[in-house]
């Protein structure tokens, strides 16, 4: 049976969106324009850097397979846990926590990272990419009832459509439209706040700033464990 934690509300989605925005902005600044949560953006940067003959192309090329591998790994782990009757959410969050901690720790130990295509920079960047791959998988596997937490393009479009329909009174079901609007708005705001904090954090505290999203993930793991244990109780 497929287990899904339905006790997680909008606050959980907003917290994860903050983590994604933070990691994306911090890695982008620290690793010469590497997107971690929004990996398709790396394709645009690859084209731009090939034309401009700059560095960092290898890391961006590796980001997609690493991201895909992290999502696939999350799916396999979720299936194994479900087979054992365990809720995947706490474990997946714990793995993301470990990967993001590795990003911060390795970044601190390897600083200064040097060339964007050097081994230290690539290793640090791929840890962040893998962490965000895990979070993308979590959104699909365990938190499908929440708004997306890593890519805001669709959410912003939906929020604008819903807001326009509400203002113009064109919504067929105003209550449903309002609920959908209020579901995605906190995630958008949290992602933007996380991006600002990540940018200022990496600029002033270097990789030590990762302590903030790590604390948020730790809290989410703890909160996810209690419902999982309650569901597993006979």
């Amino acid at each position: 049976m497929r287990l899904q934690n339905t006790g997680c509300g909008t606050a959980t989605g907003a917290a994860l969106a903050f983590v994604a925005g933070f990691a994306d902005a911090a890695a982008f600044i620290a690793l010469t324009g590497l997107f971690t949560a929004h990996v398709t953006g790396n394709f645009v940067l690859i084209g731009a850097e090939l034309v401009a003959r700059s560095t960092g192309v290898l890391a961006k090329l590796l980001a997609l397979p690493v991201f895909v591998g992290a999502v696939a790994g999350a799916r396999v782990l979720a299936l194994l846990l479900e087979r054992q009757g365990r809720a995947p959410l706490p474990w997946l969050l714990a793995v993301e926590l470990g990967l993001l901690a590795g990003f911060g720790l390795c970044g601190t130990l390897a600083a200064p990272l040097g060339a964007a295509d050097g081994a230290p920079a690539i290793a640090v960047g791929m840890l962040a990419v893998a962490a965000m791959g895990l979070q993308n998988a979590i959104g699909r596997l365990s938190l499908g009832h929440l708004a997306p937490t890593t890519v805001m393009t669709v959410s912003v479009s939906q929020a604008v459509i819903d807001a326009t329909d509400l203002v113009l009174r064109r919504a067929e079901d105003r209550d449903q439209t309002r609920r959908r609007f209020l579901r995605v708005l906190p995630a958008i705001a949290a992602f933007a706040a996380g991006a600002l904090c990540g940018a200022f954090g990496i600029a002033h505290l270097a990789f030590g700033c990762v302590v903030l999203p790590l604390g948020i993930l730790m809290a989410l793991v703890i909160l996810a464990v209690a419902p999982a244990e309650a569901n597993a109780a006979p």
Side-chain angles (χ1 to χ4, degrees), residues 51-159:
V51 172
R53 300 179 183 275
S54 60
T55 60
V57 176
L58 180 57
K60 296 173 179 64
L61 286 172
L62 289 174
L64 182 59
V66 170
F67 187 91
V68 170
V71 174
R75 178 55 173 161
V76 171
L77 177 59
L79 289 173
L80 291 174
L81 290 168
E82 289 171 358
R83 187 174 299 175
Q84 297 173 9
R86 300 180 182 180
L89 181 58
W91 297 90
L92 294 175
L93 286 171
V95 174
E96 180 184 351
L97 173 65
L99 289 169
L100 199 59
F103 166 70
L105 179 60
C106 292
T108 300
L109 295 177
L113 296 178
D117 282 335
I122 289 177
V124 171
M126 293 310 105
L127 285 169
V129 170
M132 291 300 98
L134 255 293
Q135 184 165 316
N136 271 274
I138 289 170
R140 302 294 297 177
L141 297 173
S142 298
L143 298 175
H145 59 293
L146 299 180
T149 62
T150 55
V151 180
M152 294 296 114
T153 306
V154 174
S155 294
V156 170
S157 299
Q158 187 63 61

Side-chain angles (χ1 to χ4, degrees), residues 195-223:
L196 288 174
C197 290
F200 282 102
I202 201 71
H204 296 285
L205 301 174
F207 286 94
C209 69
V210 179
V211 170
L212 177 55
L214 290 181
I216 293 173
L217 285 174
M218 178 62 73
L220 291 177
V221 171
I222 294 172
L223 292 174

Side-chain angles (χ1 to χ4, degrees), residues 161-174 177:
I161 291 171
D162 289 339
T164 303
D165 286 346
L166 288 171
V167 170
L168 299 180
R169 300 182 181 277
R170 300 290 295 178
E172 295 182 1
D173 188 334
R174 287 185 61 84
T177 302

Side-chain angles (χ1 to χ4, degrees), residues 22-36 42 45 60 103:
F22 193 106
D24 218 16
F28 187 87
I29 294 172
L31 300 168
T32 319
L34 175 68
F35 284 112
T36 56
N42 290 320
L45 295 177
K60 296 173 179 64
F103 166 70

